[in-house]
Amino acid sequence: MARVSQEHLDARRRQILDGAALCFARNGFHATSMQDVLKEVDLSAGAVYRYFNGKEELIGAIVAEVLGSVRAAFEEAARQSPPPPPDELVAHVLGRTLAERASLVVDGRPAFPRLVVQVWTETLRNEELAAILREGYGSVRGAWARIVESYQDAGMMRTDVDPDHVARTMIACVLGFIAQQSLFGPAPVDVLRQGLRALMSMRSEDEPPAAPARG
């Protein structure tokens, strides 16, 4: 019997994850059964269970994959000296995340924002999923804090602000933008980019200029 290639295995796994993501976004996690997933991906139970034990493992894999991709992008930016400005960086990472899942559509609208909201809801009752989300959030937050420290070292940002406070704020902007898309429909990532750029251009009368580079 010919051996199945790794490329085939990866493609099958991708097919299952994308099909499950569509089901969860369309109907919610609890209203989706494994039979719904099997029907969506047009595979036998044996083919699907070879990769995943059930719905909980499927949604955990989807969340871990997205957070891992986002974390890697911000960690890559943190290694640049200096990193791209916040508006460009956020737009690049979010734009890439949405583009990678652009083929997932429910009722003519992108499925990913709806899926994100479904995940948030499920974490309130699923501790294992909540743990995956906390770990991923913590790693993204840490990467953002290192980016802020690089801004401060380069004299691009005030040094009297805790990097973690900026990290939390940037993540909140992205999550809020995704929530708006889920509730009110798609919007170009450039809307977020331009909004952040405008806010970054503001300066209060008593605000000191950016401090010189540290060290």
Side-chain angles (χ1 to χ4, degrees), residues 3-208:
R3 295 181 61 185
V4 177
S5 69
Q6 187 61 48
E7 181 179 359
H8 174 82
L9 294 174
D10 292 344
R12 180 57 55 82
R13 186 177 189 274
R14 174 84 275 135
Q15 177 187 357
I16 296 169
L17 285 175
D18 287 348
L22 279 174
C23 289
F24 297 148
R26 183 186 301 123
N27 302 318
F29 183 76
H30 285 277
T32 298
S33 68
M34 282 302 291
Q35 283 301 123
D36 294 327
V37 175
L38 297 179
K39 183 178 180 180
E40 182 70 38
V41 299
D42 194 23
L43 292 173
S44 68
V48 172
Y49 283 109
R50 175 180 181 180
Y51 295 86
F52 303 100
N53 291 328
K55 291 195 305 180
E56 288 76 11
E57 193 169 312
L58 274 166
I59 194 129
I62 292 169
V63 171
E65 180 183 64
V66 172
L67 290 173
S69 173
V70 171
R71 181 193 67 242
F74 285 128
E75 287 179 343
E76 178 183 352
R79 291 191 290 270
Q80 300 180 42
S81 182
D87 57 324
E88 296 292 339
L89 180 54
V90 166
H92 170 71
V93 175
L94 180 57
R96 188 174 74 177
T97 300
L98 294 174
E100 288 173 348
R101 294 156 183 84
S103 62
L104 304 181
V105 178
V106 173
D107 298 331
R109 293 167 58 172
F112 181 71
R114 293 176 59 166
L115 178 63
V116 170
V117 174
Q118 296 288 353
V119 168
W120 292 343
T121 302
E122 180 58 20
T123 57
L124 299 177
R125 66 187 86 193
N126 186 326
E127 181 54 37
E128 290 186 9
L129 182 60
I132 293 173
L133 196 63
R134 281 195 300 270
E135 180 181 358
Y137 172 77
S139 63
V140 171
R141 187 170 134 201
W144 250 116
R146 291 190 292 276
I147 291 170
V148 173
E149 290 171 354
S150 295
Y151 291 150
Q152 293 173 332
D153 288 339
M156 298 168 61
M157 186 176 287
R158 294 166 50 179
T159 58
D160 60 341
V161 178
D162 188 329
D164 183 62
H165 295 178
V166 181
R168 285 174 176 264
T169 301
M170 296 308 301
I171 294 172
C173 286
V174 173
L175 295 182
F177 189 71
I178 292 174
Q180 286 184 33
Q181 294 202 46
S182 174
L183 294 171
F184 310 121
V189 172
D190 201 51
V191 170
L192 181 60
R193 184 207 320 261
Q194 292 184 15
L196 287 173
R197 183 172 296 169
L199 291 172
M200 290 162 54
S201 69
M202 295 181 64
R203 182 174 168 186
S204 62
E205 294 181 359
D206 59 349
E207 178 183 335

